[in-house]
Amino acid sequence: MSACHFCGTSLDPKMRIVKDTVCPSCGRDLHACVQCRHYDRNAHNQCREPQAEWVTDRERRNFCDYYALNPVGGKGAGVPDREKAARSKLDSFFAPGPAKPGPAEARSKLDSLFKPAPGKDPEPDDE
């Protein structure tokens, strides 16, 4: 169900929206970029419709021919929050991994690699 970007009031997705249509609850313009399904603040021109012209004030009514009410609606709805997704991936990349062994544990593991097998004499060093 669609909702007003400004107040969250539910809107009928089949509602006919013309340039001067306003939200029945808050009175804000519905034919505005922030109410449109193509609006994406992270996209070039802040719009996913490549042929749309630049609109200066995205929160006020405009004459865009590509306008379509956002079916999800509400503040930021339908627009992926790329900053949060990027931050999450970055945090997981730099997250601390499994604990690294301390110097004593590392030395004992190294020594165990070079110990002779039980029952075998160590080979003499060639000098």
Side-chain angles (χ1 to χ4, degrees):
M1 182 64 126
S2 296
C4 175
H5 173 81
F6 301 105
C7 68
T9 299
S10 293
L11 301 169
D12 181 6
K14 296 177 184 174
M15 176 182 199
R16 183 170 182 260
I17 298 176
V18 293
K19 180 184 174 256
D20 59 352
T21 306
V22 294
C23 173
S25 180
C26 67
R28 301 285 298 262
D29 297 320
L30 290 180
H31 196 289
C33 293
V34 293
Q35 306 275 21
C36 181
R37 74 178 315 142
H38 301 295
Y39 176 71
D40 182 350
R41 66 183 175 89
N42 296 309
H44 170 71
N45 204 17
Q46 296 183 3
C47 184
R48 286 180 267 134
E49 172 51 56
Q51 297 193 17
E53 293 183 24
W54 173 257
V55 174
T56 306
D57 190 348
R58 306 259 174 210
E59 295 185 0
R60 299 195 58 190
R61 66 181 67 160
N62 58 59
F63 291 100
C64 182
D65 292 330
Y66 301 102
Y67 175 85
L69 183 62
N70 189 344
V72 180
K75 238 183 218 316
V79 178
D81 193 348
R82 295 178 186 176
E83 182 181 346
K84 283 184 183 176
R87 174 66 58 193
S88 170
K89 286 180 183 178
L90 190 63
D91 289 345
S92 69
F93 182 72
F94 288 106
K100 294 182 180 178
E105 187 180 348
R107 181 65 189 188
S108 73
K109 286 184 178 183
L110 180 66
D111 289 343
S112 70
L113 287 174
F114 295 101
K115 283 185 181 175
K120 286 193 175 181
D121 291 330
E123 295 181 21
D125 290 340
D126 292 336
E127 292 182 19

